[in-house]
Amino acid sequence: MTPGTAPATPAVPTDPTDTDVANLARLVTEQRLPGLDDLDELPTLDLVRRMNEQDALVAGAVMAQAVPIAAAVDAIAARMRGGGRLIYLGAGTAGRIGLLDASECGPTFGTTGEVLGLIAGGPQAFAVAVEGAEDSPSLAVDDLTRIGLTPADAVVGLSASGRTPFAVGGIRHARSLGALTVGVACNRSSALGAAAEIAIEVVVGPEFLTGSTRLKAGTAQKLVCNMISTLTMVRLGRTHGNLMTHLVASNEKLWARAHDLVASITGLADEEVGPALRAAEGSVPAAVIMLLTGADPAQAHAALNATSGNLREALSAVR
């Protein structure tokens, strides 16, 4: 879907069956947190403390999924080295988290179309809920078809419940085409996890507000997306140590940050860094190569292109 076009109209939801209701009630993310029957009567300071106590559980739940998260990072990096893309897919809060993470990869890591997000209901659903769209697996298939999904790509499905038809249907379709598939859910033995090659199931327990999965579940999904994108870029050489060397210096603050990065890596004075960074057209890796090896801008960019942007490898090649 291109910006400005109307999303496909989802089917009007039907009344849930007894089985649907029972299945939903069994999900941890739908259960009621005990001890909060008087929530609306508590002093505000108590509310803050109790909510924060629940939020503090999220990091540990994410750590419990370290092994599948690491497997996902390595598998996604392998696909992207071969020219594939990282594609987030989700509905509602989950879809917005995927879109947010994808949109920040460009300015942070210099990606150009390599990371993108799809949300049920189209781009406008980021700001205005299109709730019924999540019930349609075919909308996910349409979206993946529109962006030209290939077996080289990696698709990360996001769903707190792990049963959202849009996410599950999209992951099943992506896997049928040979794309790498990862399912991120907040319930064990989820349909999304079963549909994907790699299941990341971060169980954060019942929400502070019953069923409001934009809270702990949303935080967990954001942390997982942070890890997936950031660590994939580390594996791809889009960082140097813990420095984000491939940032796009598109404003004064980021140009100053780029200048500081070059100075930090090379150990050279500002009067040497500034001209090199300008000659490199704001590229931190190219400026570093120029300053440390004596290469000209064309040679520096050529070395980076030959190593897919990996600064360490490019430096070794030029030296």
Side-chain angles (χ1 to χ4, degrees):
M1 180 184 302
T2 56
T5 59
T9 303
V12 176
T14 57
D15 290 337
T17 65
D18 291 342
T19 300
D20 290 333
V21 173
N23 287 340
L24 189 65
R26 279 196 289 268
L27 298 177
V28 172
T29 49
E30 295 294 326
Q31 292 173 12
R32 189 172 184 179
L33 194 65
L36 294 177
D37 292 350
D38 59 347
L39 177 70
D40 54 319
E41 298 178 320
L42 295 175
T44 304
L45 183 56
D46 284 355
L47 292 175
V48 170
R49 287 170 172 161
R50 292 199 187 195
M51 189 168 180
N52 183 250
E53 286 172 358
Q54 290 301 309
D55 290 340
L57 302 174
V58 176
V62 172
M63 180 57 72
Q65 291 294 292
V67 170
I69 292 171
V73 167
D74 286 337
I76 293 167
R79 294 295 176 115
M80 295 187 74
R81 284 192 197 97
R85 299 167 292 177
L86 166 57
I87 301 162
Y88 290 114
L89 178 79
T93 297
R96 294 181 188 101
I97 289 168
L99 275 173
L100 177 63
D101 198 73
S103 68
E104 292 178 342
C105 283
T108 305
F109 301 111
T111 59
T112 54
E114 300 157 81
V115 184
L116 61 155
L118 299 174
I119 184 171
Q124 59 268 46
F126 186 89
V128 180
V130 186
E131 297 294 357
E134 73 173 51
D135 295 328
S136 175
S138 65
L139 289 181
V141 174
D142 291 345
D143 284 348
L144 290 169
T145 301
R146 173 180 53 80
I147 65 168
L149 182 71
T150 75
D153 294 324
V155 181
V156 178
L158 302 164
S159 167
S161 68
R163 66 194 289 274
T164 306
F166 180 87
V168 176
I171 286 295
R172 286 174 176 163
H173 176 70
R175 191 168 184 177
S176 74
L177 295 182
L180 173 73
T181 52
V182 179
V184 181
C186 293
N187 285 285
R188 292 188 182 88
S189 304
S190 66
L192 182 61
E197 292 173 61
I198 300 173
I200 300 171
E201 294 176 329
V202 184
V203 182
V204 294
E207 295 286 5
F208 184 75
L209 289 181
T210 306
S212 183
T213 51
R214 70 183 184 86
L215 302 179
K216 287 191 297 184
T219 300
Q221 290 172 93
K222 181 65 170 71
L223 290 177
V224 172
C225 287
N226 284 349
M227 287 183 170
I228 287 175
S229 60
T230 302
L231 301 182
T232 294
M233 293 300 155
V234 171
R235 291 275 75 93
L236 292 175
R238 296 293 181 94
T239 65
H240 189 80
N242 66 341
L243 302 177
M244 49 181 178
T245 49
H246 284 61
L247 64 82
V248 177
S250 56
N251 59 39
E252 290 184 8
K253 180 192 76 173
L254 292 176
W255 188 274
R257 183 176 291 165
H259 185 286
D260 289 345
L261 286 168
V262 176
S264 175
I265 295 170
T266 63
L268 297 174
D270 290 346
E271 55 267 23
E272 295 179 87
V273 169
L277 187 60
R278 286 191 292 274
E281 299 180 327
S283 169
V284 170
V288 169
I289 292 170
M290 292 162 57
L291 288 167
L292 293 183
T293 69
D296 61 32
Q299 292 171 324
H301 285 294
L304 287 166
N305 289 336
T307 58
S308 299
N310 189 305
L311 176 56
R312 289 190 191 277
E313 292 179 4
L315 276 171
S316 296
V318 174
R319 285 170 171 164

